[in-house]
Amino acid sequence: MKQTDFYFRHNRREFLKDFSLALGVTSLGLPLVSFASGCQPKGEEKQEQSAQGTAQNKKLGIALVGLGSYATHQLAPALQETEHCYLAGIVTGTPSKAKEWKRKYKIPDKNIYTYDTYDQIADNPDIDIIYIVLPNGMHAEYTVRGAKAKKHIISEKPMATSAADCQRMLDACREHNVKLSIGYRLHFEPHNQRVMELGQQQVYGPVKEVEAADSFVFTGNPNAWRLDKKLAGGGPLMDLGIYCVQGAIYTLGQSPVAITAKFGQVTRPDYFDEVEQSISWEMEFPNGAVAKCRSSYNDNEGLLSGKAEKGWWKLDPAYSYSGIKGETSEGTMDLPQVNQQARQMDDFARCVKENKETRVPGEMGLRDVKILEAIYEAARTGKRVEVKV
């Protein structure tokens, strides 16, 4: 059977949705399978779209907090393609950006905020969701403030620079009864969803090994926030390696139990005097599988592969915004290219409208940051570190 036939046949029958709700959970109670066709039902609640009423048909307004490259070149264009949400507002500290975005996207003055006026967003009924697209070290503060404003939150990955800050974010969202999701766009991308199926359904038997690598050569400003320990939390591990952690987990449907790691050599000290230039690590999983991972700001890679008893698969590139390619021991993955960000934001908007749980919740972000902290500890100490998530 061709990969396209498999993908569309199972989408039509909502097989993936049913399967995702039936499979196992982590120690946090999180569904590890997330190749479902929609957001997760809350508890035993079942709601039909036809019974939602006019409120369910309303597009929800999203405000982007931080107008850097990702917001400008990915999120804003994606919001022109979404069905359940739209670009309603912006938060920026740069007047020239506010002027340009106002003109380009016809954003009214009352929906444009600075970081000083951010808290006033609580009084704006046009804005339902806040998407935090700031440097990693700022995610916690603006999530907590957004939750106090009674707005639902999407935080870009990594969720924060420490597990303690992740917990603060979760606590604030629970206290103010708003939903929190993490910007894990690849959970909505067909090739990565297929990897979830291959690994978790053991299509080729039990998975023995995962290999994951995500790297690029950093040639920008040596004073960029990504190289600032306080703002970034770390180097390529925080920025790119988190995709490798995620890829291994959603391939296996399990969280790692132990980690070994080592930092790579620093060959560009003018850039990497605060954060690592490169790092490699291995994650051990409960079923005996091992994930071999690496991430660097001085290389170019984007791999996610798996080896099982009776077959293999590989995505390369695996994590890019477009052009993802895959193959298996049976042939090429013939799957569609999609707007990952549009799917991600639409899915969260549906979860908000239908009062359902997102497949990429804050608890998942906390789990991953705990794993990143364990990787750094293993690299610093040279010891095998057990993971407690």
Side-chain angles (χ1 to χ4, degrees), residues 131-244:
Y131 198 140
I132 311 296
V133 208
L134 295 165
N136 307 337
M138 301 172 72
H139 292 179
E141 176 190 347
Y142 282 85
T143 294
V144 170
R145 290 168 64 184
K148 289 179 179 178
K150 300 289 187 179
K151 304 301 181 182
H152 302 284
I153 310 288
I154 305 173
S155 172
E156 249 316 300
K157 60 80 197 164
M159 182 174 172
T161 55
S162 70
D165 272 351
C166 292
Q167 191 62 58
R168 284 204 301 126
M169 295 161 72
L170 283 166
D171 291 344
C173 290
R174 288 167 183 160
E175 178 184 353
H176 296 285
N177 196 31
V178 297
K179 296 185 183 298
L180 173 60
S181 181
I182 310 303
Y184 288 140
R185 57 187 167 79
L186 294 172
H187 286 251
F188 305 89
E189 194 284 315
H191 298 79
N192 282 271
Q193 289 176 327
R194 179 59 174 147
V195 165
M196 297 174 196
E197 294 178 286
L198 292 171
Q200 295 182 38
Q201 290 191 49
Q202 299 188 9
V203 172
Y204 298 127
V207 181
K208 300 299 184 183
E209 182 178 298
V210 173
E211 183 179 3
D214 196 10
S215 304
F216 73 86
V217 179
F218 194 102
T219 58
N221 184 347
N223 296 315
W225 71 262
R226 281 184 170 81
L227 306 182
D228 183 313
K229 180 68 177 294
K230 183 177 180 180
L231 287 175
L237 177 63
M238 298 292 285
D239 186 20
L240 307 170
I242 191 168
Y243 287 118
C244 302

Side-chain angles (χ1 to χ4, degrees), residues 10-131:
H10 288 315
N11 262 3
R12 186 168 61 246
R13 296 181 181 179
E14 295 193 289
F15 170 85
L16 303 183
K17 179 177 181 179
D18 295 337
F19 182 78
S20 76
L21 301 180
L23 246 84
V25 297
T26 69
S27 59
L28 292 170
L30 294 176
L32 283 171
V33 183
S34 72
F35 44 89
S37 56
C39 49
Q40 310 291 354
K42 185 176 183 180
E44 297 299 320
E45 181 181 10
K46 294 182 179 179
Q47 298 176 325
E48 295 297 331
Q49 186 74 22
S50 59
Q52 298 299 311
T54 55
Q56 297 297 334
N57 299 322
K58 171 182 175 285
K59 277 193 171 187
L60 300 186
I62 291 185
L64 298 179
V65 184
L67 305 183
S69 178
Y70 189 62
T72 300
H73 300 297
Q74 301 301 327
L75 297 179
L79 282 163
Q80 311 313 301
E81 300 183 26
T82 44
E83 299 178 8
H84 299 280
C85 53
Y86 72 102
L87 177 59
I90 54 174
V91 181
T92 179
T94 309
S96 60
K97 288 184 179 180
K99 184 177 179 180
E100 173 61 19
W101 281 61
K102 174 185 175 180
R103 181 196 64 78
K104 185 173 183 179
Y105 294 110
K106 298 180 173 58
I107 300 172
D109 287 334
K110 67 184 181 69
N111 291 1
I112 298 175
Y113 297 86
T114 66
Y115 298 117
D116 290 334
T117 63
Y118 174 64
D119 300 312
Q120 296 173 19
I121 211 165
D123 303 318
N124 193 331
D126 292 350
I127 294 169
D128 304 285
I129 298 168
I130 293 170
Y131 198 140

Side-chain angles (χ1 to χ4, degrees), residues 256-260 284 370 374 377-378 383-389:
V257 294
I259 291 169
T260 55
E284 304 168 22
K370 286 181 177 179
E377 181 184 350
K383 298 178 180 179
R384 178 179 179 271
V385 174
E386 293 187 358
V387 181
K388 298 178 181 179
V389 295

Side-chain angles (χ1 to χ4, degrees), residues 256-291:
V257 294
I259 291 169
T260 55
K262 64 178 180 179
F263 292 117
Q265 182 182 3
V266 177
T267 60
R268 300 164 63 197
D270 51 330
Y271 277 77
F272 305 105
D273 59 343
E274 290 191 33
V275 302
E276 76 276 6
Q277 177 175 309
S278 62
I279 188 169
S280 59
W281 70 99
E282 289 192 6
M283 299 189 290
E284 304 168 22
F285 288 84
N287 66 348
V290 174

